[in-house]
Amino acid sequence: MGIPHELKKALRDACSLAKEAIAQEKRILVVTHNDADGLSAGGIIHKAFLREGYQVHTRSVKQLDRDVLKEISKSKAGLVIFSDLGAGVLDDIQELFNCDIIILDHHQPVECEHELVHVNPHNVGIDGSREISSSGVAYLFAKEMNRENQELAGIAIVGAIGDMQDSTGELIGLNKIIQKDGEEAKVLRVEKDLRLYGRQTRPLFKAIEYTTEPFIPGLSGSESASLQFLSDLDIPIKKNDEFTKLADLSEEEKKRLTTALILRMIEHRIPPKIAESIVGDVFTLIKEDKRTPLRDAKEYATLLNACGKYEKNGLGIAVVLGDRDQAYKEALEMLKDHKSYICSCYRWVSENVSKIKDEEVVYSFHAKDEINDSVLGAVISMVLNSRTLEEIKPIIAFAYDKNGKVKVSARATRELVEQGVNLGKAMHFASEKVGGEGGGHNIAAGASITIGDEEEFLKYAKEEIRRQLNAE
């Protein structure tokens, strides 16, 4: 597939506005989300302006609610670029800002009348949850500004991987075009392999333990089980006095490991198609140093997520911009802690599975302050994908955030989406009903609401999901 004409036009409009701002020497502010996709997108946009010899200010935020928008609107910027944010608050942006605006997003947009420059795959019938992420949209914008920005394609792929757009074992749609750009620019290598986390840098048993996409029941999150699993397969934990890595396996050992992993997943009710996605495309950023987390797109994305989740957004952007000194060292420390914390949260949920309520059309639970709200979505994805719950239904979870509100995260499976579930719409509908804010993708979405509104929110979310499932 190529880039649709309407999307090309939106990209040209965005670039014209950006170049006009440069020519008029306007202050340019880039506001991006704080996850891997958002930090990648922000870094790509920042680099694109640097290539034009123009300095911009880039900041990252956890969410774009009305209070944050009011604060940003006072920045005296002549142009504000929102990336991985904005599609859910178009009306607020139009109301609060009197400067030029560019929105580069891939979330489902709210329906409202506006005159904003809004580049979004959903506007041209492309699924932003699968076919292109916001870092991909930012990359296409950067490439439209200057063909030399093709070298940024690898960072766009990191963002897509961070948004799990390779969950079927490969990238599709516009992501495939960006992948080919990266290979052509010689910044990216794509090959088939086991899609284990840390395949280049981690001991094999840790790579299995830390792999959560796809989820491996009984192994993901458990070091002892992963060690025993390899022992049962007669795969040595060490070779030549060093911990065995995936790259150290013989072809026969790798085949044995692959077969055992797929069988284990199928035995735990994971559909064969998902189980087989443990083998698929792996993405190497060939200009990064070997045996470092930045060499592998999945590890790179996790490092950026770690920075964002623990409110060290600046570290993530600095790494994307090329810092391999102090910021990178600090980010590595965050990465080390992040994966082990995610696994400990999953273990907490597994030990408290009785707290997960069956709400007819969804599962729900309230983590309160037991789980950091910033990782809630990742944890419930693991719960859902582990197939430990009896039926496959969307899961909605709540946790208290640091601002005295309740963070809501919702996750579904691809099968549920194919049946009509759209969590982005459900979160938007329910949050509006209780005076909160919410939205996202069909398969993954979230909201922010007031403490005490959880039950009412859940009532409206269930109402909308029931409507979706019953729609003809």
Side-chain angles (χ1 to χ4, degrees):
M1 73 177 280
I3 300 173
H5 172 74
E6 298 93 331
L7 188 60
K8 285 183 178 179
K9 181 181 182 305
L11 288 164
R12 284 196 295 269
D13 290 345
C15 284
S16 294
L17 201 56
K19 289 181 177 179
E20 181 182 304
I22 292 173
Q24 295 177 7
E25 298 185 351
K26 291 182 178 180
R27 182 173 186 267
I28 300 175
L29 173 64
V30 179
V31 181
T32 195
H33 193 209
N34 71 339
D35 66 2
D37 187 31
L39 295 175
S40 297
I44 287 170
I45 297 164
H46 195 107
K47 281 192 167 190
F49 279 99
L50 288 178
R51 175 160 269 135
E52 301 305 308
Y54 204 77
Q55 184 67 51
V56 299
H57 177 63
T58 299
R59 62 174 290 192
S60 177
V61 298
K62 185 176 181 179
Q63 60 190 38
L64 201 59
D65 58 26
R66 193 171 176 86
D67 288 341
V68 174
L69 282 171
K70 284 181 179 177
E71 185 231 317
I72 294 169
S73 69
K74 298 173 184 175
S75 66
K76 297 181 180 178
L79 169 65
V80 179
I81 302 176
F82 293 100
S83 63
D84 203 26
L85 297 161
V89 287
L90 297 171
D91 44 1
D92 285 336
I93 292 173
Q94 178 138 299
E95 176 192 338
L96 294 171
F97 288 78
N98 60 4
C99 63
D100 291 332
I101 299 289
I102 295 172
I103 298 171
L104 306 173
D105 203 353
H106 74 134
H107 294 94
Q108 296 172 111
V110 294
E111 294 181 10
C112 73
E113 292 293 327
H114 68 85
E115 297 177 355
L116 305 169
V117 176
H118 179 202
V119 186
N120 192 315
H122 288 282
N123 292 339
V124 296
I126 293 172
D127 185 355
S129 72
R130 299 187 69 193
E131 299 180 57
I132 186 170
S133 68
S134 279
S135 54
V137 176
Y139 165 74
L140 294 179
F141 166 78
K143 187 181 174 187
E144 183 70 27
M145 282 187 73
N146 191 325
R147 289 285 303 184
E148 290 182 26
N149 288 320
Q150 186 173 338
E151 68 172 13
L152 302 178
I155 300 299
I157 296 302
V158 169
I161 302 300
D163 256 22
M164 296 187 290
Q165 296 202 350
D166 65 331
S167 61
T168 59
E170 64 177 351
L171 294 171
I172 63 172
L174 294 177
N175 280 325
K176 207 73 171 179
I177 293 175
I178 298 170
Q179 174 186 318
K180 289 178 181 175
D181 276 2
E183 292 175 292
E184 183 181 285
K186 293 183 170 49
V187 296
L188 188 70
R189 183 173 68 242
V190 185
E191 55 200 324
K192 295 288 183 185
D193 202 352
L194 274 167
R195 296 171 60 230
L196 298 180
Y197 174 83
R199 62 192 180 88
Q200 301 218 25
T201 61
R202 307 270 174 175
L204 183 56
F205 69 91
K206 295 302 287 186
I208 294 171
E209 176 194 355
Y210 284 165
T211 295
T212 57
E213 182 58 44
F215 191 90
I216 311 167
L219 300 180
S220 295
S222 175
E223 178 182 289
S224 59
S226 298
L227 282 165
Q228 186 60 51
F229 180 71
L230 292 175
S231 176
D232 292 342
L233 290 174
D234 291 326
I235 294 176
I237 303 304
K238 285 188 173 184
K239 288 189 175 184
N240 300 321
D241 294 325
E242 291 188 359
F243 283 116
T244 305
K245 296 184 177 66
L246 181 61
D248 300 327
L249 297 185
S250 67
E251 282 303 310
E252 191 278 329
E253 287 172 328
K254 189 178 285 189
K255 285 180 183 177
R256 201 174 343 135
L257 175 61
T258 301
T259 301
L261 288 170
I262 292 173
L263 287 175
R264 186 181 188 93
M265 294 163 76
I266 292 173
E267 286 167 0
H268 286 78
R269 302 191 303 124
I270 291 179
K273 188 174 181 181
I274 296 175
E276 289 166 2
S277 74
I278 194 74
V279 177
D281 288 345
V282 294
F283 303 85
T284 302
L285 281 79
I286 54 182
K287 291 195 174 180
E288 298 291 347
D289 289 343
K290 293 181 178 179
R291 300 274 177 168
T292 70
L294 302 185
R295 180 87 170 173
D296 179 75
K298 189 183 287 286
E299 284 192 84
Y300 197 149
T302 306
L303 180 142
L304 295 181
N305 268 327
C307 293
K309 298 302 183 188
Y310 302 106
E311 300 179 5
K312 297 291 184 180
N313 310 342
L315 293 180
I317 291 176
V319 170
V320 174
L321 293 178
D323 187 305
R324 296 296 178 267
D325 193 16
Q326 189 58 35
Y328 175 53
K329 289 174 184 175
E330 291 183 43
L332 284 177
E333 288 302 311
M334 308 219 63
L335 173 63
K336 188 188 302 181
D337 295 337
H338 176 65
K339 277 310 253 185
S340 67
Y341 179 66
I342 291 282
C343 289
S344 71
C345 289
Y346 172 73
R347 287 193 291 273
W348 180 88
V349 174
S350 300
E351 292 163 4
N352 292 273
V353 72
S354 61
K355 295 181 179 179
I356 301 177
K357 299 177 183 177
D358 190 331
E359 304 270 4
E360 185 188 349
V361 292
V362 301
Y363 292 108
S364 76
F365 80 95
H366 204 315
K368 298 184 179 178
D369 54 8
E370 296 285 344
I371 294 176
N372 189 313
D373 70 287
S374 66
V375 301
L376 189 60
V379 174
I380 64 170
S381 288
M382 293 168 69
V383 172
L384 193 62
N385 294 332
S386 69
R387 307 282 165 152
T388 54
L389 301 172
E390 277 302 307
E391 295 181 64
I392 301 303
K393 302 176 184 179
I395 184 167
I396 298 174
F398 304 88
Y400 299 137
D401 69 17
K402 293 179 180 178
N403 299 316
K405 291 191 174 184
V406 175
K407 164 74 177 290
V408 188
S409 285
R411 295 293 184 271
T413 62
R414 188 57 59 189
E415 304 105 290
L416 289 166
V417 170
E418 289 170 357
Q419 292 169 29
V421 169
N422 188 321
L423 294 179
K425 290 184 177 179
M427 294 297 99
H428 181 69
F429 173 77
S431 61
E432 274 200 328
K433 290 290 187 180
V434 299
E437 291 160 329
H441 299 297
N442 50 19
I443 198 168
S448 177
I449 61 175
T450 301
I451 292 175
D453 287 342
E454 293 94 327
E455 286 302 317
E456 190 176 4
F457 176 92
L458 190 58
K459 180 185 78 172
Y460 287 116
K462 286 160 55 180
E463 178 185 315
E464 174 60 21
I465 291 170
R466 191 178 291 112
R467 184 185 300 125
Q468 294 168 1
L469 290 170
N470 291 332
E472 293 183 4

